[in-house]
Amino acid sequence: MMEIGLNHYLVLSTILFAIGLIGVMRRKNLLLLFFATEILLNSVNIAFAAISHYYGDLTGQMFAFFVIAIAASEVAVGLGLLIVWHKRHSNINLDTLSTMKG
Amino acid sequence: MEKYLYIALFAPLVGSMFAALFGARPKTLIAGLVPSILLFVSLVASSILLVHILGGGEVVHVEMMTWMATGDLYIPFGFVVDQVSVTMMMVVTLVSTVVHFYAIGYMDHDKGFNRFFAWLSAFVFSMMILVMSDNFAGLFIGWEGVGLCSWGLIGFWYHKESATWAANEAFIMNRIADLGMLIGIFLVYWNTGTLQYAEAFAAMPALDSETLTWIGIFLFVGAMGKSAQFPLHTWLADAMEGPTPVSALIHAATMVTAGVYLVVRSNELYALIPHIGLFIASLGAFVAIFAASMALVNRDIKRVIAYSTLSQLGYMFAAAGLGAYWVALFHLMAHAFFKALLFLGAGNVMHAMHDELDPFKMGGLGKTMKGTMILMTLASVALAGIFPLAGFFSKDLILEVAFIDHHFIIYGVLLLTAGLTAFYSFRIIALIFHGEDRHTALGHHPHEAYTFMLWVMAPLAVLAVIAGALKGTYFEMVTAVLPATEYHVHSAAAYWTMTIGTQLFVLVAIYLAYKKYMSKDIKIPDGTSAMENSFGYKILKNQYYIPYFYEEYLVRPYRELSTILWKQVDMKVVDATVDGIAGIIHTTGVKTRDMQSGNLSTMLKWMVAGTIGMLSLAVVFGLAVRYSGEIKTILSGLGV
Amino acid sequence: MIDHILSILIFFPAVAAVFGFMIQKDSIRAYGTAVAVIEFALSLWLWFAFDSNAAGMQFMEHIALVPAFGINYILGVDGISLFIIILAAFFTMIGIASLTDTKNVKNMIITLLFLQMTMVGVFAALDAIVFYIFWELSLVPMLYIIGAWGGPLRIYASVKFFLYTFAGSLVMLVGILFMAYFYFQATGVWSFAILDWYRLILPETFQLWLFVAFFFGFAIKVPMFPFHTWLPYAHGQAPTIGSVILAAILLKMGTYAFIRFSLPLFPDASVFFMFPIAIIAIIMIIYTAMVAYAQEDVKQVVAYSSVSHMGVIILGTFALNVEGITGSIFLMIAHGVVSGALFLLVGVIYDRRHTKMMNQFGGLASVMPRYATIFGIMLMASVGMPLTINFVGEFLSLLGFYQQSHILTLLAGIAIIVGAIYMLAAYKKMFFGEVTIEENRNLPDVNKRELIALIPLTIITIWLGVYPKPVLEPINNSVESIVQLMHDKSQTEEAKSRIPNLAGKIVISKASQEEAH
């Protein structure tokens, strides 16, 4: 049986990160943008946890906790704003969110 | 003695400024009288100086004040009255005084009476500076000053387009020559260290021939402009647009002779470069016959007299070029008298005929204008060089000079010109004063000029007659500073043959002119006769098409080139480049503005792209640092 | 108080300008004129107290600003800058006195006073950073003047003027910083003082690069071909007073800076670049004269004529001998007087007819004879008639450069021909001929207010043309010391041969070594 080593976790993390990145770049729906952001954050979490286990250093896992907490609060605020925006404009397509045009 | 120098020099300036006070006001007699009287004062002062110099007195030399002093350069306002300058001073003040008083009558009905005298006296002041200066810079001040006053006086009737055009032409043509003179002055300064005549000429024998040649050439270029030598001659005929007193003073007696004065003053230089002298003489002879040929067919009496001046200037340069400086100066003096007289007489005729200039439209004026006729005939006889009037002694002397120095071509040309001169001078005398009356039919009722004007012209007539007798005294005086070559033809037989031969030649020319132009068949030419359409006539009438050439091939291209330089080069190339650079920066800004689209998605894309870019750079640099040793080996292997 | 005269000359107008905000609109003209007259009187006092026989800096002041980097507030004046300072004060005075009806005249006068501060500052500064500050500051009031009171294209013209000059100055700033760095490397001490830099001898390659850096800053200001295209727009759109000050003083900053910086600091480079710059100067002279001839707007004729004259000034500067440099400085003053007067004269007719197109005039000499006379005198001065101020400067500049090259001087001398061509053509179009346009028939002649400015200028034109000695002498002494400095500092063979050695003829005054306090 193949040994599941650190590299496997890192590859998984990279793939998830790439998926999240592409989602961030391509998604036009604000809600789905949040999904993609979550994927990004979670991929980083996996990496942290894996590396921390590999080195036997708990710092990584602590950091992962922080990331989860931050992600949760960010989503809370973001979803709140999203709901307010939707009430105003009935539309959460990113292309219409361009009032700060430079 | 110094005070006479200052009086002679500054009296015209005071007169000019006095008249200028009356500026644009209507004619005030005193604005003309005072400058004329002041000019007479200047004449008296010059005469006193003349007597002083004649009596063997010391040359008067003053330095009034410093003008420019910087580095090693020191240029003062300095004036010298020596034999040469006192001769010029006499000529200038005498003719100027006559012209001033004459102009009081001539400009009687002119609105710009006061302004005229301001300009005229200013001109005399400039001319006095020119002839009295003791250094090249002072000469240049007077040089440009007479150019300026000439501009103001030629264009005096400034509402006339032709007059202002002629004024600009004169100024610009003179300026072209002045550039040459300026370069000559620079050469003198950098090679001799000074611009004072005495020191500069003393230092010149030590210079090498090439430098001296260049100095001589450049100074002569300056003289060419002022004295209207070919090819800078077209302005002189056009300058006849100015009032006749102006033509008499400036374009007969004074300004145009400034070039001759320069060559005479610089005789020590030109004596060292005889090949340039020969060139000057040849050009002079050429101009003499060139101008005389154009005078043969011209139908404007003032232009004929102008060409006559040009022709005689050629004689003067021929003499000066051959080293006969005192002869040239003598002819300058004699010529000033009878030419000014001729112009003033022409002025009388013009006034009587309401500014008509075509002699064919006159005829028979001798009956009503006896005084003018006598004066003009006297002047023409002097001009033709008939013994015993002044012209004989001065002009024939030049012929002798050419003959003695074995320059037979120059001699031949000048001799032929003498005949032509007699012919065209008496052509207009005959056409104007003799023959059938052609003018009454055209509605003219001429009357003689004011008597006082005739009296004022009288001194010139007297001098035109007796000036020859002054030759001896003059020679004694002026050879103190000029080379005292006496010109004697070797054999008496040759001398008498020459002299009598020349006289006969001239008399025949006069007779032919009278015969042709006094006949009853003279009609006003209207462009249909065979002669008018002949090739020779056309060439001469159009002044060898030189003015046309200048206009078509110099003036117009310059104007067009200027417009091209402005519209195509300055605006479309130089400025466009600047605006182009600004445009590029602006466009870059506009394009990169799309980055700030306000669209979150786009911005996220940019963020990702940027992050990836920077990360890649960091990786590449890190790798390069890690493997720098191997990279160096590879590069050296490639020969970098 | 005389010891601080330079600081007073610089800051008095600025302080007065600040107080000017509190002055009533109706009295602002009187206030402005009074301030300008006092400033002019102060500048005359400076001249009176100036020692014409000393060659070095006088009235020096020194206050430390940033000692760690050697940036100090150093002022000083010598024969070269003295007269331009007086000219600046003079023009501000007659400019304010003869201001026509302007809207927001209070703003205009306050701006002019600020501008005066910067102008005097540039010419008195002896520290490179202080010089740079005043150099750049002078752009702001001029930007405002052109932009607020100018013609239809005023925004374009003022922005172009500002950005173009500013870009060049930035290159110059880089040069200044490098120069300070080289000084630090050579002596171990930071200093931006120009007099300290004079003592530094740089290797030739450094000189070449620094010369080019400074060249950009100065060349755009002069303006030299091909960096001159901002000038016609700036002049064309600026109000009369803006054009007068721009032509009379601001353009001189560039040529002054060449003499103050480029020549003594980089003598070998100056010799190296002498011929290319002379070629540019000749192009400036002839090309702009031809362009001036093609113009239809009389103000543009005068604007291009300015560039043409600056060409002669540059030529005189790069003659690198005493006659040439003295001539070029004198010509700077002469050109300031004559061009200023010409722009004022154009302003006179513009105030009456609100057009500057020459085909709208014609025959004015019979309608406005006094105006025609003054214009004629200035025309002849511009053309370089002897006994006017321009001739002395032009003669000396060309005489000086003749020593370096005969042919180029001959080409440059064409200036007197082409100058006459366009000036006479313009004068003829405006003043001669018949009056064909009805509005021209009853134009009033020059009035007292305009004469207040024009008469003194005419008098100066002729007085200094006849008797230039009081001005030439101090200039000559200072220039001799600069030329000697250049000769001593130059390293290459060619430089030593082209720059004359005056040793034994002059004594360099020790005044430059002293400091005021």
Side-chain angles (χ1 to χ4, degrees), chain A residues 25 28 95 97-98 101-102, chain B residues 596-599 601 604-605:
Chain A
M25 286 201 286
K28 294 293 180 202
D95 287 332
L97 255 65
S98 52
K101 194 171 167 58
Chain B
Q596 304 292 320
S597 61
N599 186 323
S601 188
L604 286 169
K605 288 197 184 98

Side-chain angles (χ1 to χ4, degrees), chain B residues 209-423:
Chain B
S209 164
E210 193 183 336
T211 318
L212 287 173
T213 311
W214 282 117
I215 298 179
I217 291 180
F218 277 117
L219 286 178
F220 182 64
V221 169
M224 276 167 76
K226 220 33 119 203
S227 298
Q229 296 296 291
F230 179 88
L232 296 171
H233 63 283
T234 47
W235 70 268
L236 185 58
D238 292 330
M240 296 302 119
E241 292 282 343
T244 312
V246 169
S247 311
L249 179 59
I250 299 185
H251 306 123
T254 45
M255 175 167 136
V256 292
T257 55
V260 183
Y261 168 76
L262 173 64
V263 174
V264 168
R265 177 59 81 189
S266 311
N267 64 82
E268 291 171 60
L269 163 67
Y270 286 103
L272 296 167
I273 40 173
H275 47 288
I276 297 292
L278 186 56
F279 169 73
I280 295 177
S282 314
L283 183 63
F286 168 73
V287 167
I289 196 164
F290 173 74
S293 64
M294 292 195 285
L296 286 175
V297 302
N298 210 293
R299 287 174 62 179
D300 175 334
I301 51 177
K302 277 179 74 173
R303 275 191 179 234
V304 171
I305 307 178
Y307 286 130
S308 166
T309 305
L310 192 49
S311 186
Q312 297 305 307
L313 284 170
Y315 271 89
M316 291 178 222
F317 276 113
L322 293 175
Y325 302 103
W326 68 268
V327 179
L329 194 56
F330 187 63
H331 189 49
L332 194 160
M333 189 171 78
H335 170 264
F337 300 141
F338 51 73
K339 193 48 67 66
L341 184 61
L342 207 50
F343 264 116
L344 294 181
N348 286 346
V349 171
M350 275 176 65
H351 247 22
M353 298 284 294
H354 291 290
D355 295 331
E356 175 60 62
L357 287 166
D358 187 348
F360 282 101
K361 297 201 175 119
M362 304 178 189
L365 278 176
K367 297 190 195 69
T368 36
M369 298 182 71
K370 269 212 165 35
T372 308
M373 178 177 82
I374 295 175
L375 289 170
M376 278 185 82
T377 315
L378 258 175
S380 300
V381 171
L383 173 58
I386 307 282
F387 178 88
L389 269 62
F392 169 76
F393 290 98
S394 61
K395 224 165 73 162
D396 274 37
L397 195 46
I398 300 181
L399 288 173
E400 276 177 47
V401 167
F403 187 80
I404 291 164
D405 278 353
H406 303 292
H407 296 290
F408 295 114
I409 302 181
I410 296 183
Y411 172 76
V413 166
L414 291 178
L415 180 61
L416 180 58
T417 313
L420 293 176
T421 309
F423 184 80

Side-chain angles (χ1 to χ4, degrees), chain B residues 74-96:
Chain B
Y74 177 73
I75 303 180
F77 281 125
F79 302 105
V80 67
V81 177
D82 68 357
Q83 290 79 351
V84 171
S85 56
V86 84
T87 314
M88 292 297 298
M89 280 166 70
M90 284 306 298
V91 170
V92 170
T93 47
L94 208 137
V95 179
S96 309

Side-chain angles (χ1 to χ4, degrees), chain B residues 35-99:
Chain B
S36 311
I37 294 176
L38 280 170
L39 217 7
F40 183 70
V41 166
S42 180
L43 172 60
V44 168
S46 305
S47 318
I48 296 177
L49 286 164
L50 174 67
V51 166
H52 169 83
I53 299 278
L54 265 177
E58 239 184 66
V59 165
V60 186
H61 196 153
V62 300
E63 182 183 306
M64 202 170 84
M65 68 181 192
T66 324
W67 188 28
M68 292 195 247
T70 174
D72 284 329
L73 178 70
Y74 177 73
I75 303 180
F77 281 125
F79 302 105
V80 67
V81 177
D82 68 357
Q83 290 79 351
V84 171
S85 56
V86 84
T87 314
M88 292 297 298
M89 280 166 70
M90 284 306 298
V91 170
V92 170
T93 47
L94 208 137
V95 179
S96 309
T97 312
V98 168
V99 169

Side-chain angles (χ1 to χ4, degrees), chain C residues 206-355:
Chain C
F206 289 178
Q207 281 191 34
L208 290 177
W209 283 111
L210 284 175
F211 184 92
V212 173
F214 277 89
F215 179 79
F216 274 110
F218 305 151
I220 297 181
K221 194 84 169 172
V222 168
M224 291 179 76
F225 180 90
F227 309 117
H228 65 284
T229 47
W230 60 266
L231 188 76
Y233 286 108
H235 275 308
Q237 302 302 317
T240 305
I241 184 68
S243 286
V244 169
I245 302 276
L246 179 60
I249 318 291
L250 289 184
L251 296 188
K252 310 301 174 291
M253 289 185 188
T255 48
Y256 162 82
F258 270 118
I259 299 178
R260 184 63 80 208
F261 286 91
S262 300
L263 257 54
L265 293 177
F266 319 121
D268 301 293
S270 301
V271 173
F272 182 84
F273 282 110
M274 174 172 64
F275 281 118
I277 291 184
I279 303 278
I280 295 181
I282 292 174
I283 296 177
M284 270 164 84
I285 296 173
I286 301 182
Y287 167 81
T288 52
M290 292 181 79
V291 174
Y293 181 55
Q295 296 298 319
E296 291 142 17
D297 178 337
V298 65
K299 198 165 186 190
Q300 297 286 52
V301 173
V302 184
Y304 278 107
S305 85
S306 266
V307 183
S308 197
H309 285 298
M310 296 312 262
V312 185
I313 295 178
I314 294 287
L315 203 65
T317 305
F318 280 90
L320 302 178
N321 54 32
V322 177
E323 290 91 350
I325 301 180
T326 311
S328 81
I329 297 172
F330 193 86
L331 189 53
M332 280 188 224
I333 298 166
H335 173 260
V337 170
V338 174
S339 273
L342 281 172
F343 278 115
L344 281 170
L345 287 165
V346 170
V348 165
I349 194 70
Y350 179 74
D351 283 337
R352 286 155 177 67
R353 285 290 317 283
H354 294 292
T355 172

